[in-house]
Amino acid sequence: MHPSARLMELLDRLGAQIGHHYAVLDDIQAKLSENREKGGGYLCSYPVFQGIYRMVERMMERGGQSVYLMLCTVVDSKGNPMKECAMLDELSERLEEAICSSVRHSDAINKYGKGQYLILLLNTTRENCRVLQKRINYHFIVGRQRTGIQYYVNSVVCTPDKGKLIVDKGK
């Protein structure tokens, strides 16, 4: 179940109404900084992930970074996406652990739905995306497990002259 456009609008308005008391920049920065208790990537909600994605799109206009968006989907032994079954919750949890232990601290992760995760990979190459897929599989697949993960990877490219976003779709 995805949040409605109305709910997302209300969340944005709520966030805009949050006021803060007077503070000095050092105190504000200390509150903004993350307290890293666990390693791995930045696991966040969809609205936060969407905000990060949009900010990265804007930053690409200047920086020329290489950015990839990866979708990981739990599949059955025939390669079909698993939608509803008793094992899906456990497999989804294992996939989250596999992803979090395989990505860099700078990568953002979102549990998009049951058995699906989005990963935003910054400053990497398509070859490194394939290396990441192998690492995730290594952490996810146990013994003679019949389920697996299907990966879709899109390169996000921004042309600096027009600030226009082009999505290069690949597998």
Side-chain angles (χ1 to χ4, degrees):
M1 183 174 194
H2 296 283
S4 67
R6 175 79 175 128
L7 180 59
M8 295 298 290
E9 178 188 331
L10 290 172
L11 284 172
D12 284 342
R13 282 201 302 181
L14 179 63
Q17 291 177 5
I18 295 174
H20 299 276
H21 295 287
Y22 177 84
V24 295
L25 184 58
D26 290 340
D27 292 341
I28 295 168
Q29 191 170 4
K31 290 177 186 174
L32 289 171
S33 292
E34 177 184 20
N35 182 9
R36 286 192 201 167
E37 294 175 9
K38 292 197 295 188
Y42 181 58
L43 185 61
C44 55
S45 67
Y46 185 74
V48 171
F49 188 88
Q50 188 178 45
I52 292 169
Y53 184 89
R54 290 175 180 175
M55 187 68 206
V56 167
E57 280 181 336
R58 289 174 178 228
M59 291 169 48
M60 287 176 61
E61 290 178 20
R62 282 188 170 190
Q65 297 176 2
S66 179
V67 179
Y68 289 87
L69 180 65
M70 181 182 291
L71 175 65
C72 307
T73 304
V74 176
V75 294
D76 62 20
S77 60
K78 295 177 183 168
N80 299 316
M82 293 180 75
K83 294 183 180 154
E84 291 297 327
C85 75
M87 290 179 37
L88 187 55
D89 287 336
E90 177 196 333
L91 291 171
S92 188
E93 198 172 298
R94 278 200 7 237
L95 178 55
E96 181 178 308
E97 290 171 9
I99 291 170
C100 288
S101 63
S102 299
V103 300
R104 300 170 297 177
H105 285 290
S106 60
D107 298 327
I109 307 158
N110 169 253
K111 181 178 182 177
Y112 189 73
K114 278 194 172 190
Q116 284 195 309
Y117 285 83
L118 288 169
I119 310 171
L120 188 60
L121 304 159
L122 305 174
N123 294 326
T124 194
T125 63
R126 188 164 296 276
E127 179 57 35
N128 285 342
C129 290
R130 285 189 279 277
V131 170
L132 174 60
Q133 291 171 10
K134 289 178 185 175
R135 275 199 312 257
I136 293 169
N137 283 337
Y138 175 80
H139 289 103
F140 178 75
I141 298 173
V142 177
R144 299 180 71 172
Q145 179 177 324
R146 296 170 54 109
T147 58
I149 306 166
Q150 189 171 46
Y151 299 94
Y152 294 96
V153 179
N154 284 351
S155 171
V156 182
V157 183
C158 185
T159 57
D161 56 338
K162 297 178 185 172
K164 194 173 190 179
L165 185 69
I166 300 170
V167 177
D168 172 28
K169 295 184 179 187
K171 236 182 174 185

